[in-house]
Amino acid sequence: MIYKGPKGTYDVYPGGREPHERPELWAWVEGVARDFMGRYNYSEVRVPVFEEAQLYVRSVGEMSDIVRKEMFVFRDKGGRELSLRPEGTAGVVRAYVEHGLYRLAQPLKLWYLGPMFRHERQQKGRYRQHVQVGAEVLGSTDPLVDVEVVALMYQIHQALGVKDEVVYLNNLGDLETRRRYVPELEAFLKKNVSELDPDSKARIETNPLRTFDSKDRNTQALLKEAPLIGYYLSEEARVHFGAVKEGLETVGVPYAVDERLVRGLDYYTLTVFEAKSAALGAQDTVGGGGRYNGLIEELGGPDLPGIGFGTGVERILLAANAPEEGHLLDVFFVTLVPEARLPAFSLAAALRAEGLSCDLDYADRSAKGQFKQADRMGARFAMIIGEEELVAGTCTLRDMTSGEQRAVPVADGPEELLEALGA
Ligand code: HAM
């Protein structure tokens, strides 16, 4: 019996073909994300990959696709209903409320990286387990925080080489806005109900805004005539939107206002945004997020605002110019006689202690086979030790790119060798 990974998942392994299957690219993305989060002064937060299912129902929304169709829900041995996390915001806000983090100096700027689980139909860029880099800023209504969050996501994408990226921006208004707008939209949809697809019909009463997300052509054609939320924004929402746009222009994030952008999660208020890349196919949204000014209270905390983003690492890698593999190893030892193995092993230990990466042959390969292995491993140098070198107290250093060779004394320690390696 040969087992296969579950549907909608993938493995990361040496020699992986797709960019998101290549371990060195993951290390690169994680390093860049961590670096940017540090520059912007975000602290890392780690929360469980499963929570009470109701947490997601309350935050993402009962009528959202995620809750209705995509959650991995299960019962534990005590009969509690749990779900693998479909997204990161709910768990972070739960932890913020549970640990009273609103008592710390606000805003609290948090970031995370980890797997999310959605039972979706697999296609390129859509998996049942995907990884998000996310950030959440809790406890501030300052529109410059919105700008910071969008700019941070954009800069991470750019540092990773995401091609042809545009950030789409909208404002979904505050409660006052919704109170004025939603009845107008509802009335419009009811008047034209015969032209709506079944999902959109079902949403008229529960969440009419989400009809804008419909993929149905007739529905989309009808929605061209629909009233747009932009005309109904309260004064406060309008001022907030203006400040966010001005801030994005100041820091040079290219954006376009999309008045039909609504996002698939119900917790959003005011600012929402999505970054799309023209380099991707059907799944072209690389990252997205927005404000959720009612969520902390909804989850039992004080009435405090929040905003954040989540960006999918697999999509970043698909939309980026993945760098070609560089040198993955500093030194591979090539031993020409069995007596050279222990000295090589000990030299490798000395180099590792100085921070260099080294490896040697553990498969009884011929000299030719060892050079081939050095090549396969992407070694910058091969370090050759044979009878001659043992007698002379040297090793022969070969630059694997130029083929140049030279003898380096090692009898009195690795200092000269380190110098020759440029360490
Ligand atoms: P989201 O738009 O549902 O937002 O997901 C964020 C990103 O995760 C997407 O843009 C996409 O890159 C990636 N993603 C989502 N589902 C999949 C999938 N099935 N396969 C591959 N990638 C996927 C959120 O999850 C919000 N929590 C973002 C947020 C944070 N809003 C406020 N704070």
Side-chain angles (χ1 to χ4, degrees):
M1 174 73 189
I2 291 183
Y3 294 101
K4 286 189 163 177
K7 209 171 179 174
T9 65
Y10 57 86
D11 297 311
V12 180
Y13 55 96
R17 249 173 267 149
E18 296 287 334
H20 60 272
E21 293 173 341
R22 286 169 53 187
E24 73 282 9
L25 295 185
W26 278 92
W28 173 57
V29 172
E30 288 171 13
V32 168
R34 191 171 287 280
D35 175 34
F36 273 90
M37 295 300 179
R39 293 193 211 182
Y40 279 81
N41 195 29
Y42 285 60
S43 308
E44 187 173 359
V45 59
R46 297 190 189 197
V47 294
V49 297
F50 63 90
E51 301 263 2
E52 276 182 57
Q54 277 305 312
L55 173 71
Y56 303 116
V57 177
R58 283 291 282 281
S59 17
V60 178
E62 207 163 349
M63 291 307 289
S64 64
D65 282 353
I66 292 179
V67 167
R68 279 175 55 223
K69 305 181 195 160
E70 297 168 4
M71 289 215 295
F72 282 90
V73 177
F74 60 99
R75 284 194 188 276
D76 71 3
K77 292 199 166 107
R80 283 170 283 260
E81 196 184 48
L82 303 170
S83 171
L84 294 182
R85 65 178 179 196
E87 60 102 50
T89 311
V92 171
V93 172
R94 193 265 309 140
Y96 177 80
V97 173
E98 182 175 342
H99 305 297
L101 302 184
Y102 44 81
R103 290 191 210 100
L104 304 176
Q106 302 293 302
L108 200 61
K109 307 207 292 186
L110 304 170
W111 78 279
Y112 50 87
L113 183 149
M116 309 292 163
F117 306 86
R118 297 183 190 179
H119 199 285
E120 298 194 85
R121 211 147 24 92
Q122 186 185 1
Q123 63 184 93
K124 203 170 174 82
R126 192 159 78 184
Y127 309 95
R128 291 188 178 171
Q129 174 172 336
H130 71 278
V131 173
Q132 280 186 29
V133 171
E136 313 290 347
V137 182
L138 304 153
S140 171
T141 51
D142 189 338
L144 277 185
V145 169
D146 305 38
V147 178
E148 177 175 296
V149 164
V150 177
L152 172 56
M153 179 185 77
Y154 179 74
Q155 282 169 10
I156 290 174
H157 289 165
Q158 289 304 299
L160 293 167
V162 169
K163 289 180 281 187
D164 307 326
E165 177 178 6
V166 177
V167 176
Y168 292 93
L169 187 69
N170 196 14
N171 187 302
L172 296 181
D174 45 20
L175 273 182
E176 190 197 323
T177 310
R178 302 276 182 93
R179 224 173 274 136
R180 288 195 286 145
Y181 171 66
V182 169
E184 296 289 328
L185 179 63
E186 252 177 47
F188 170 84
L189 295 172
K190 277 184 184 155
K191 203 169 73 192
N192 298 288
V193 69
S194 58
E195 291 173 54
L196 291 175
D197 62 277
D199 266 0
S200 298
K201 267 183 204 157
R203 283 190 177 126
I204 295 183
E205 304 277 345
T206 52
N207 192 350
L209 267 176
R210 289 273 289 122
T211 49
F212 284 105
D213 246 7
S214 166
K215 300 275 177 287
D216 182 76
R217 235 191 253 160
N218 282 341
T219 304
Q220 276 305 335
L222 173 70
L223 286 170
K224 289 212 169 79
E225 314 292 321
L228 290 174
I229 199 161
Y231 298 104
Y232 295 81
L233 290 185
S234 66
E235 184 55 21
E236 218 181 312
R238 201 188 311 276
V239 169
H240 190 92
F241 198 16
V244 173
K245 288 190 275 192
E246 189 187 5
L248 289 174
E249 278 150 32
T250 308
V251 293
V253 174
Y255 72 89
V257 172
D258 175 0
E259 289 192 285
R260 292 182 166 77
L261 175 65
V262 289
R263 308 263 307 134
L265 303 95
D266 285 356
Y267 47 61
Y268 292 115
T269 55
L270 296 168
T271 308
V272 286
F273 54 92
E274 275 184 357
K276 292 186 189 270
S277 163
L280 291 177
Q283 302 303 318
D284 60 352
T285 306
V286 189
R291 271 209 170 268
Y292 42 85
N293 286 356
L295 183 60
I296 295 172
E297 194 176 25
E298 176 75 23
L299 297 182
D303 179 14
L304 286 172
I307 178 168
F309 75 80
T311 178
V313 175
E314 297 82 359
R315 291 190 194 172
I316 292 179
L317 288 174
L318 285 168
N321 279 320
E324 282 310 306
E325 280 181 32
H327 288 296
L328 301 174
L329 188 70
D330 292 317
V331 178
F332 190 84
F333 285 86
V334 173
T335 52
L336 306 179
V337 288
E339 309 82 76
R341 295 198 75 228
L342 207 51
F345 191 83
S346 140
L347 257 182
L351 295 186
R352 286 174 184 141
E354 296 298 327
L356 292 167
S357 58
C358 314
D359 210 348
L360 53 154
D361 174 48
Y362 292 119
D364 203 16
R365 290 184 175 84
S366 66
K368 197 171 153 203
Q370 292 181 59
F371 278 117
K372 216 167 160 186
Q373 183 67 354
D375 221 21
R376 266 197 294 258
M377 301 213 134
R380 199 152 61 94
F381 291 101
M383 190 96 74
I384 307 153
I385 308 182
E387 238 165 85
E388 263 177 48
E389 284 86 356
L390 285 175
V391 172
T394 60
C395 68
T396 301
L397 193 61
R398 178 193 289 193
D399 184 315
M400 291 296 284
T401 316
S402 67
E404 264 170 50
Q405 286 196 180
R406 67 172 165 135
V408 182
V410 288
D412 300 327
E415 281 72 29
E416 279 191 64
L417 188 53
L418 286 167
E419 206 172 299
L421 291 168

